[in-house]
Amino acid sequence: MCVMTTGTALLPASAPAPVWARRAAHAIALCAVPSGLWRIAMASGVYVGYSDQVLRDVFDIPGWGIAYVVGLSVLTELAALFPLLLVSDRWRPLHPRVVTPLAWTASGVLVLVALWQLVVAFTVESQTHMSSGTAQTVWGCAFAPLFAIPALMTAVTWSYAKRHRARGRA
């Protein structure tokens, strides 16, 4: 069986993605949902632990901050859907020689971003704006799943690279 790509050449079909890789790719998309919903709640005026003054002064909500926060949520979820392309058997928009380095780069960036976010989350500056207690616990629960994404993305990328490397040798 051959698969069409955006180019004119036909590529032989690679082995299907293992079940664990498919589940990991879907988990990545789901990990981004809680933080997106939390941001949208913040943009909608739901109390998420920030005072009205902090929302105005720091986040510009109401104002352009709403577009930024909602846009960030949408972009995060769209980016979290990328790994589904790595496990898809039906749609391959780019050649694996292009997708593989892109996926490895995304994995590396995600690891760095996760490490940076840990630093930011535990600095005094980031903790001074949010009230403590329940709001901070909800915030932590909403953003905690994001820290699983780098490991999941690396595993899905490894699976993709392994399947397409094996196809190249065949």
Side-chain angles (χ1 to χ4, degrees):
M1 178 178 161
C2 293
V3 176
M4 285 296 284
T5 64
T6 55
T8 57
L10 289 174
L11 296 173
S14 61
V19 173
W20 66 264
R22 290 179 185 278
R23 288 182 181 158
H26 284 86
I28 291 169
L30 292 175
C31 284
V33 171
S35 62
L37 292 174
W38 184 90
R39 283 190 210 100
I40 290 170
M42 182 174 84
S44 300
V46 174
Y47 178 73
V48 294
Y50 294 120
S51 69
D52 289 340
Q53 182 179 354
V54 169
L55 288 175
R56 269 190 316 276
D57 297 346
V58 176
F59 296 104
D60 196 22
I61 295 175
W64 287 102
I66 293 172
Y68 169 75
V69 168
V70 172
L72 182 60
S73 297
V74 170
L75 285 174
T76 301
E77 192 58 44
L78 287 174
L81 295 174
F82 170 72
L84 294 174
L85 294 176
L86 300 178
V87 297
S88 173
D89 294 330
R90 294 185 207 139
W91 190 65
R92 296 199 184 127
L94 298 172
H95 195 281
R97 283 184 296 203
V98 174
V99 174
T100 303
L102 181 65
W104 279 120
T105 301
S107 293
V109 168
L110 286 169
V111 168
L112 292 174
V113 167
L115 292 173
W116 176 248
Q117 289 304 308
L118 281 173
V119 169
V120 170
F122 292 108
T123 62
V124 174
E125 178 65 27
S126 68
Q127 293 181 9
T128 58
H129 296 300
M130 182 176 281
S131 64
S132 59
T134 305
Q136 205 165 30
T137 302
V138 170
W139 174 83
C141 290
F143 282 83
L146 293 177
F147 290 104
I149 292 177
L152 292 168
M153 180 66 185
T154 302
V156 171
T157 301
W158 176 80
S159 172
Y160 179 85
K162 181 180 172 188
R163 285 183 294 118
H164 289 280
R165 187 175 43 244
R167 184 188 79 193
R169 284 189 236 142

